[in-house]
Amino acid sequence: MAIACILAACASPAPAPDLPDPMSGWTVSRDAPVIAAGSLRAQGLWNDPSPLRTDDGYALYMTSSTGAPFKPPVLPFRAVSRDGEHWTLSPATPLLSVKGGPYASIETPSVVRFAGRYWMGFTGVYADPAPSPMAIGLAVSPNGVNWQVADWTLLKATGGATDWHGYLVGEPGLVVRGGEMLLYFSAVGAREGGGPPLQSIGLIRSSDGVRFTAPEHVMTQGPLYPAARGYAGYSSPAALADTDGAIDLFYSVAHISPGADPEWQQVAIHHARAADGVHFREDPAPLLTRASTGWTDGEILAPGPLRDGGTIRLWFGGHVSRGRLAPLIQRGIAGPEFGIGLATLSTDQFTQAPTKKGTDR
């Protein structure tokens, strides 16, 4: 979904929103992505990271356009690494195809191991955005490499004019908690009283990967990001389950700037925690903002967190502002202006930070 937001020609952006100062302590790839545009694959536009720990390093599920740059079909890939920074595609080809399904693209893969198999939640993007531009699908794999779609349309918008998930659902974030697989997702619906469309986070859950519960509405935007200042809410949720059953939820903060190019932008990455996976307490500051690196002044988005021993690793997508994309295009879609970055923080620092006063959501 993020890639689709940068299709038009360059234009002067509207004034940027005033963002809160981010949490300190993160070590961030500030000068360039760890997976830059044009690396691993010609004209690769890498986005939507979802990491897993493996016996000898890491696997990262991510997406790229596969034909013309910035255009459908966008499809999921898998890369492997020993250190989390230097990656190789494995396999070299996309993991799924749009053939046989209703979508023009398959984006935002979120992968977990559950019940002896690998599961991928994904956003299916329709060629025709009416009545809704996207839905959520589910794929399964015996090994994390060979995938088959289990349900092309696991969840779709209700179409209800006043429903919180009436216009669209997408960007699934899977996590395993006990004997359940939880799927958090971003949803857009009408905002009571007007203002930007309400973008919030919902949840469905399953004990077998086949039957899922009805959607629960678990989080709306907090006071740090008021609608009156153009904040639409939250996007691209990703979750970690702690040993005590608590859920750490990571998500992008969406802002709408009329007249900007694009108008809808993801400007920060935030975190909240819930002991029960439903009632979240939001941190008092974002983890990262688009000012956290020199190559994310356009957008910072799509957090992909991993608890890795004594370290929290957070891969994320991003790109420069549209007015700075010209060198990327002149190089034939290659360079540090677009890609996937990495931020790290000690688990102790991460655990202590939310103990400061936050906001119940």
Side-chain angles (χ1 to χ4, degrees), residues 143-162:
N143 54 15
V145 177
N146 306 109
W147 291 88
Q148 182 175 3
V149 174
D151 193 335
W152 283 105
T153 311
L154 174 68
L155 184 66
K156 62 182 181 179
T158 67
T162 60

Side-chain angles (χ1 to χ4, degrees), residues 252-351:
S252 306
V253 178
H255 185 271
I256 294 178
S257 298
D261 191 7
E263 292 192 346
W264 184 86
Q265 302 174 3
Q266 295 171 88
V267 297
I269 293 174
H270 212 97
H271 165 263
R273 184 175 173 90
D276 60 358
V278 175
H279 300 91
F280 284 93
R281 174 170 285 267
E282 190 171 53
D283 287 2
L287 304 183
L288 302 169
T289 73
R290 61 182 177 185
S292 295
T293 86
W295 57 275
T296 55
D297 59 305
E299 290 189 286
I300 189 167
L301 62 143
L306 184 68
R307 187 176 281 107
D308 189 20
T311 302
I312 297 293
R313 299 184 186 273
L314 181 66
W315 288 268
F316 58 92
H319 59 85
V320 299
S321 60
R322 191 167 298 181
R324 296 178 58 207
L325 281 174
L328 177 87
I329 297 168
Q330 292 164 359
R331 296 188 211 101
I333 311 298
E337 292 87 359
F338 192 112
I340 292 173
L342 174 63
T344 59
L345 184 73
S346 75
T347 303
D348 288 344
Q349 286 179 279
F350 179 76
T351 301

